[in-house]
Amino acid sequence: MADDLFKALADGTRRTILDELTEKSGQTLFEICARLSMKHGLGISRQAVSQHLAVLEAAGLVETRREGRYKFHDLNVAPLRHITERWLDPRTPEPDKDPS
C-alpha cells in the first residue's frame, strides 16, 4: 500500500488534483478538468486526468461514488495518516526551532 501511495504522490499533476479535492471534495471529472485548466493552466485531456484519478484511487487517496449518471471523486486522507503514524513516534519531542 505504501508503494502505491508514494507513486501517487510523486507526480505533480496528481498532487494538484489532490489540492483541488482538498478545496472542494465531491467533484466530477468535468469539474476537475475545468479547475485544472482554469486555475493551473494545465492543458491536460480528460483521459489523462482520468488515468491520474485511477492512480490516486488505487492508492486509496480518492474514493468515488455514483449518483445517477454522475461519478463524484472524494478525497480520502486516511492513507496519509497511516503513513505519518508509521514513522512519527509520539514520545519523541519535536526539535527546537531556531529563534533567530
Side-chain angles (χ1 to χ4, degrees):
M1 179 174 147
D3 290 341
D4 289 340
L5 182 62
F6 287 118
K7 175 185 173 188
L9 294 173
D11 184 84
T13 301
R14 288 193 283 270
R15 290 191 305 271
T16 302
I17 292 170
L18 292 174
D19 290 340
E20 288 303 318
L21 290 175
T22 298
E23 190 172 308
K24 182 181 182 266
S25 197
Q27 294 183 59
T28 64
L29 176 61
F30 177 80
E31 290 174 298
I32 294 168
C33 289
R35 290 173 73 105
L36 292 176
S37 176
M38 301 285 278
K39 287 178 67 180
H40 304 280
L42 295 175
I44 178 173
S45 70
R46 285 174 45 114
Q47 181 180 4
V49 173
S50 184
Q51 290 172 345
H52 283 299
L53 286 166
V55 172
L56 292 167
E57 191 173 356
L61 292 168
V62 170
E63 295 178 342
T64 60
R65 59 187 161 81
R66 285 206 173 269
E67 291 181 20
R69 63 183 219 171
Y70 296 101
K71 183 177 179 182
F72 296 94
H73 301 85
D74 296 295
L75 179 65
N76 178 21
V77 296
L80 295 173
R81 286 192 181 112
H82 177 72
I83 289 296
T84 58
E85 290 169 358
R86 179 176 173 177
W87 288 298
L88 294 180
D89 184 355
R91 298 168 293 175
T92 305
E94 289 189 35
D96 292 334
K97 294 185 178 179
D98 186 36
S100 55

